[in-house]
Amino acid sequence: MTYPVFAVTVDLVVLTVREGGLHVLLVRRGIEPYLDAWALPGGFVLEDEDLPTAARRELAEETGLAGAGGHLEQLASYGAPDRDPRGRVVTVAYLALLPDLPVPTAGTDAAEAEWRPVGKLGLAFDHDRILADGVERARSKLEYTPLAAAFCPPEFTIAALRQVYEAVWGESLDPRNFHRKATSTPGFVSPTGGSTEGGTGRPARLYRRGDAALLNPPLLRRRPGD
C-alpha cells in the first residue's frame, strides 16, 4: 500500500483591538504563489517542530511579534485538495488574541505586514474562510470565558474591557450594566487595588483577568442573529 504525501503548514489569525475596532494581522506575500497578495501569516512546519512551536516561529519571522503575550490556541485544520496551488497542503490554523501592539515588521517571505480592520479582505489561499472562523471563535469565547482580557494590557479598566466587547461584537453595550456584570461575575476580573492616574476625569479602578476557565452563567450573550 502506498500512502499519500502531504505538506503541513500553520496559519495564524492574529486579532487585536485598535482604534475602537477589531483588526487582523496580515502580510503581503513576497513570493509565489499569490505574489503581492495579502494573507494570514504562516508557513511550512519544519521537521523538528511541533505545531505550536511552528506557529510561534512563523509569527515572529513574518511579523517581528516575538514574545507578544496574549492568547494562542489551535483553531481548526483545513485540507481541501485544491487549497494550495503548490500541491497537497494541509494547514493547521491558530487563533491569537493580543493587546494593541506597535506596527509589525515584515520578514522572511513577507514583503509587508500590517494591521487591517476585519472585513471582506480578498485574501490569498482560503484565508478569508480561516479568518471568518477565527473571528467567530473569538466572538464566542467572549460569551463564556474571561478571554476578553487577552486584548488588554495586564491591568485595565472595566471601560477598556467593555470596549473590547463592543469592537469584537460590533455592538454598543450599556456601560452601567456591563460594569455591574463584569465586577459581580465570579472569576471574570480581579481588582488590583490600583487606579488610573493623570486623567482629566475621576480615577477608575484597575483590574486583571480572573482565574475562571469558564463563566457559568455567561457574562453576556450576543444578540440573536449576530
Side-chain angles (χ1 to χ4, degrees):
M1 177 181 294
T2 59
Y3 295 93
V5 177
F6 296 86
V8 180
T9 60
V10 290
D11 289 304
L12 293 109
V13 179
V14 184
L15 301 176
T16 196
V17 174
R18 295 169 61 89
E19 302 170 352
L22 185 63
H23 284 58
V24 60
L25 181 62
L26 299 180
V27 296
R28 185 166 62 83
R29 290 182 56 79
I31 60 173
E32 294 287 2
Y34 299 107
L35 177 66
D36 289 331
W38 288 93
L40 299 173
F44 288 95
V45 178
L46 303 180
E47 290 186 4
D48 60 347
E49 288 181 317
D50 61 15
L51 293 172
T53 300
R56 293 187 181 93
R57 174 183 56 79
E58 285 293 341
L59 182 62
E61 288 182 355
E62 293 204 357
T63 68
L65 296 179
H71 172 80
L72 180 69
E73 68 174 64
Q74 192 174 120
L75 174 62
S77 56
Y78 302 83
D82 59 350
R83 64 171 303 275
D84 193 318
R86 291 169 294 190
R88 193 73 168 92
V89 179
V90 174
T91 196
V92 179
Y94 279 78
L95 173 65
L97 310 179
L98 302 179
D100 191 8
L101 296 167
V103 176
T105 303
T108 61
D109 58 355
E112 192 176 351
E114 64 180 44
W115 296 105
R116 291 278 189 92
V118 167
K120 296 181 179 180
L121 296 168
L123 304 179
F125 304 101
D126 52 357
H127 289 184
D128 284 300
R129 177 192 171 189
I130 297 174
L131 171 59
D133 290 347
V135 170
E136 178 55 33
R137 172 74 65 84
R139 287 172 174 164
S140 297
K141 285 275 189 176
L142 264 58
E143 290 188 88
Y144 60 88
T145 77
L147 269 180
F151 289 107
C152 299
E155 297 186 357
F156 48 83
T157 64
I158 297 299
L161 203 59
R162 173 173 50 82
Q163 290 166 4
V164 169
Y165 278 82
E166 292 178 335
V168 176
W169 285 358
E171 64 181 70
S172 297
L173 299 174
D174 179 77
R176 290 187 178 181
N177 185 48
F178 182 86
H179 192 285
R180 176 181 59 80
K181 290 187 175 182
T183 54
S184 63
T185 299
F188 182 59
V189 295
S190 175
T192 67
S195 60
T196 56
E197 297 179 359
T200 56
R202 180 180 176 182
R205 292 182 179 180
L206 292 171
Y207 294 81
R208 63 173 62 92
R209 176 180 170 179
D211 57 5
L214 296 174
L215 302 179
N216 188 18
L219 174 75
L220 295 170
R221 289 286 194 186
R222 281 183 289 173
R223 288 185 288 209
D226 290 349

